[in-house]
Amino acid sequence: MKKTSQKKTAGVQYTIVPKDLAGHLFNVTVTVAAPDPQGQVFVLPAWIPGSYMIREFARNIVRIRAESGGQPVDLVKLDKHTWRAAPVAGPLTLHYEVYAWDLSVRAAHLDQTHGFFNGTSVFLRVQGQEAAPHQVDIQRPSDPAAADWRVATSLPELGARRYGFGTYIAADYDDLIDHPVEMGDFALASFKAHGIPHDIVVTGRVPNLDMERLQQDLKAICETQIAFFEPKTRKAPMDRYVFLTMAVGDGYGGLEHRASTALICSRADLPTTAAPKTAERSEGYVTFLGLCSHEYFHTWNVKRIKPAVFAPYDLQVENYTPLLWLFEGFTSYYDDLMLVRSGIISEATYFKLLGKTVSNVWRGSGRTKQSIAESSFDAWTKYYRQDENAPNAIISYYTKGSLVGLAFDLSIRAKTGGAKSLDDLMRALWERYGCDFYAGAPGAGRGVTEKEVEALFDEVSGLRLKSLFDRHVRGTEDIPLTKLYAPFGIKVTDERKSSKPSLNIGAGRDPLGTKLSQVHEGGAAHQAGLSAGDIVIAVDGLRVNGNPSNLDQLLSRYRVGDTVTVHAFRRDELMSFDVVLQGCVAPAITIGVAPGTRRATIARPSAS
């Protein structure tokens, strides 16, 4: 949206002020020029698109009041996130405070170091006026600690200068809440990808941050993805893009938006100028680039190509869809693949990452009980609310979905002799459902249904793919990787150490010993009666300390089939268990080019 086109006055106007940095409070006002004569209703979203869980953002509103013409107006709360103001003759303004102490990509956070917010956490929706232009005045905090702060957002500027405090504009409410805002003394760098400006914003202390390398690597990834969806025009679907990154001691996550992404990462994963220029990218840095690649791919896949139930979103209740395997799973398939195609990592490194994903998927028995279509539908209650039994009960539509994407890709490539691939299906989804999503033209803004997805896959590939959907999308069969990879000269090997004695658990540290975080179904610990939450303190009378590797060292003195006595605390009760040790059942998958094969080709785009 160009600044010159922003001449009309917004029907809904907000101001947001970081009022109390130490108290983590934003002051927000919303003014409605022409409120509903029957009494204006205001609603705060209960969840944020891209994170499928009801989060009840309204619980962070500390106090709220209404006024018109300087006079108080009665405000009645109708439910947990809805208010109605009494009828007034003139403009109506709500004043409210929002508590912001969630250091994540999903909500809002404010302290003396920075401010961050998503619109879903701070901007009350004016019911009935969602389609009107929305203006927001982002004001500088008065606290001296914020003297050097700037503003980073993909919202188009109205009165503000770029990176400055002032007024910004959004086409409507849906647009307003799709541009997160970062305020602080951040590091900033820019590059162009096929002519489109991209900003990298990094908040947090990161000594010797190598922004030059970040620019080069992200440019390669972004240009590869733009060319992937628009091979002829190289046209990106946005006028500008912003990577908003919060660097912390230990963190990982991202959330996609139509022209930006909010990221959180460990500062150790970011590149440093202290490393030699010729040094290979560290494992942590590759992980971060994979996260960036994932969120950037969402610019097309889920922000514009959407499930039908997301067009539009209903942000007050769950929006159920069985298609998250396509929108998150296929994005997970392509995120690392784009690192290969952009030259960031080698095919060997890609196969190493893929092997870890396969091992993770095959580790839990939940994959035999829940399909990825069911996992998608149940995201609200199961995937986003995982407990200690999750590996035994559910499957991730991210990881299993990425393997299903691989299965479609390999099958189509093999059966068409390389003439077609999953690339063609993604571009067809883009052309039919995504490229005009925000165009406002007749037929635009429509999502895709499950039946349309399956029909399109058959049409574009020229194949009958129902069996893949039945077995791996609606069913729970494992992906037959060895068979699927065989035509490409790729070998899949399971190198698990079945002779290594194991309890078959997930474990973490505890001051008393090793705490069981997960007990895998059918494993030695499960068979003996141990449970998640138990704290193992001794094996055959020898102390187990807080380091999980210490437990492994003790067990290495035994053979598979031996019985050991395990002492553990359950709550405050000391219990004893006779455990028959099993061999390690955790898969250890390696994938690589088979001997005699000159080169794998699967990581490269299809001929079309």
Side-chain angles (χ1 to χ4, degrees):
M1 187 178 297
K2 295 181 180 179
K3 196 170 180 178
T4 55
S5 67
Q6 310 297 335
K7 296 298 184 182
K8 58 183 178 179
T9 302
V12 181
Q13 299 186 10
Y14 299 86
T15 64
I16 182 164
V17 186
K19 173 192 174 184
D20 183 349
L21 306 190
H24 322 302
L25 292 175
F26 282 107
N27 245 7
V28 187
T29 67
V30 53
T31 298
V32 188
D36 188 333
Q38 303 301 313
Q40 183 61 58
V41 174
F42 299 86
V43 190
L44 195 68
W47 62 281
I48 182 170
S51 184
Y52 307 108
M53 185 173 121
I54 298 296
R55 297 188 182 274
E56 314 291 14
F57 294 125
R59 64 191 170 88
N60 291 316
I61 293 182
V62 177
R63 52 184 173 180
I64 184 170
R65 63 181 177 87
E67 58 97 5
S68 179
Q71 298 299 313
V73 174
D74 288 340
L75 189 66
V76 178
K77 194 167 187 180
L78 304 181
D79 60 31
K80 59 189 175 181
H81 44 224
T82 309
W83 292 260
R84 181 195 292 124
V88 295
L92 173 69
T93 299
L94 257 60
H95 303 262
Y96 55 100
E97 292 179 348
V98 178
Y99 181 67
W101 196 233
D102 182 346
L103 187 58
S104 75
V105 298
R106 299 177 296 268
H109 188 264
L110 178 66
D111 64 10
Q112 296 91 331
T113 65
H114 86 128
F116 171 82
F117 64 83
N118 285 288
T120 44
S121 292
V122 297
F123 294 137
L124 284 163
R125 174 171 58 87
V126 181
Q127 188 167 288
Q129 300 198 31
E130 293 89 347
H134 285 53
Q135 176 182 317
V136 55
D137 182 8
I138 305 173
Q139 297 187 4
R140 182 185 297 276
S142 59
D143 194 310
D148 296 327
W149 283 18
R150 294 181 290 174
V151 174
T153 180
S154 53
L155 269 172
E157 301 88 0
L158 186 60
R161 293 184 177 182
R162 184 147 299 174
Y163 316 123
F165 291 90
T167 54
Y168 293 78
I169 192 74
D172 49 35
Y173 183 78
D174 184 60
D175 187 29
L176 175 72
I177 62 173
D178 213 3
H179 300 272
V181 174
E182 174 70 28
M183 294 177 280
D185 183 15
F186 45 74
L188 173 66
S190 301
F191 63 88
K192 287 188 176 181
H194 290 307
I196 298 300
H198 288 63
D199 292 344
I200 309 167
V201 174
V202 180
T203 305
R205 299 180 184 179
V206 187
N208 297 320
L209 174 62
D210 192 343
M211 272 296 211
E212 183 179 351
R213 183 149 207 180
L214 262 178
Q215 287 173 283
Q216 293 172 351
D217 289 343
L218 288 178
K219 177 182 175 69
I221 293 167
C222 294
E223 289 194 335
T224 300
Q225 294 195 19
I226 293 169
F228 172 82
F229 281 101
E230 292 286 355
K232 294 180 180 179
T233 67
R234 301 293 199 269
K235 182 180 178 182
M238 81 298 281
D239 295 329
R240 174 174 169 253
Y241 192 89
V242 185
F243 291 92
L244 299 170
T245 306
M246 168 57 69
V248 295
D250 184 22
Y252 177 85
L255 192 63
E256 68 275 3
H257 298 276
R258 67 179 69 181
S260 63
T261 180
L263 307 166
I264 189 166
C265 71
S266 299
R267 65 176 57 88
D269 291 345
L270 295 174
T272 173
T273 55
K277 292 292 184 182
T278 56
E280 289 192 9
R281 298 171 183 87
S282 68
E283 184 176 336
Y285 181 42
V286 169
T287 298
F288 174 72
L289 291 176
L291 175 64
C292 293
S293 177
H294 182 99
E295 303 305 336
Y296 195 72
F297 198 86
H298 273 315
T299 307
W300 294 266
N301 194 34
V302 91
K303 294 313 301 183
R304 289 165 175 83
I305 311 167
K306 295 176 182 277
V309 297
F310 288 0
Y313 298 107
D314 183 344
L315 295 176
Q316 308 317 128
V317 297
E318 296 89 343
N319 293 190
Y320 296 102
T321 174
L323 285 175
L324 293 182
W325 58 269
L326 169 61
F327 293 97
E328 291 292 354
F330 280 22
T331 299
S332 297
Y333 173 57
Y334 275 105
D335 55 23
D336 286 340
L337 202 56
M338 289 296 168
L339 298 188
V340 186
R341 294 183 181 181
S342 60
I344 301 297
I345 62 175
S346 65
E347 284 185 341
T349 300
Y350 167 71
F351 285 132
K352 183 178 179 181
L353 294 171
L354 181 59
K356 290 182 179 179
T357 299
V358 177
S359 298
N360 181 46
V361 170
W362 288 355
R363 179 67 178 97
S365 61
R367 76 186 196 283
T368 67
K369 302 166 188 174
Q370 185 189 50
S371 70
I372 55 171
E374 293 168 332
S375 175
S376 299
F377 195 87
D378 291 338
W380 303 87
T381 56
K382 292 189 176 182
Y383 184 79
Y384 272 89
R385 295 182 181 272
Q386 292 186 37
D387 58 20
E388 64 283 344
N389 195 48
N392 303 321
I394 68 172
I395 189 65
S396 167
Y397 51 79
Y398 283 88
T399 53
K400 176 70 179 290
S402 71
L403 298 187
V404 169
L406 173 63
F408 274 106
D409 201 3
L410 294 174
S411 297
I412 295 167
R413 287 172 184 264
K415 292 178 181 179
T416 64
K420 295 289 182 179
S421 74
L422 190 64
D423 297 359
D424 301 286
L425 304 183
M426 294 306 301
R427 283 191 283 266
L429 283 167
W430 170 242
E431 291 166 3
R432 297 196 189 182
Y433 297 97
C435 63
D436 294 326
F437 188 85
Y438 294 116
R446 186 174 78 84
V448 61
T449 67
E450 307 91 86
K451 289 184 179 179
E452 288 171 329
V453 166
E454 193 163 352
L456 185 64
F457 276 33
D458 283 356
E459 175 192 335
V460 174
S461 68
L463 304 170
R464 180 70 167 160
L465 299 173
K466 182 177 182 299
S467 62
L468 285 175
F469 281 92
D470 286 343
R471 295 198 310 271
H472 306 305
V473 175
R474 292 180 286 265
T476 60
E477 289 185 28
D478 286 333
I479 308 298
L481 283 180
T482 299
K483 177 181 177 182
L484 290 173
Y485 262 135
F488 303 94
I490 305 298
K491 184 178 181 181
V492 180
T493 307
D494 188 351
E495 297 181 348
R496 77 182 75 186
K497 299 177 180 178
S498 57
S499 61
K500 177 183 176 182
S502 172
L503 297 180
N504 290 315
I505 56 168
R509 295 175 179 269
D510 187 270
L512 294 178
T514 295
K515 188 172 184 177
L516 307 190
S517 57
Q518 297 166 338
V519 173
H520 290 285
E521 185 177 46
H526 174 212
Q527 297 289 353
L530 284 155
S531 298
D534 290 350
I535 301 171
V536 175
I537 62 171
V539 173
D540 276 353
L542 294 176
R543 182 192 171 200
V544 174
N545 65 31
N547 189 341
S549 65
N550 174 245
L551 177 59
D552 291 335
Q553 291 171 359
L554 289 174
L555 295 179
S556 69
R557 307 290 299 181
Y558 298 88
R559 293 182 295 271
V560 172
D562 286 350
T563 300
V564 297
T565 300
V566 171
H567 283 89
F569 276 108
R570 179 171 298 172
R571 299 179 294 275
D572 58 351
E573 299 179 22
L574 181 63
M575 304 178 71
S576 177
F577 303 88
D578 291 329
V579 181
V580 179
L581 297 176
Q582 297 179 349
C584 180
V585 297
I589 304 301
T590 60
I591 302 172
V593 180
T597 302
R598 292 182 60 190
R599 176 178 168 83
T601 59
I602 187 59
R604 287 182 278 177
S606 62
S608 58

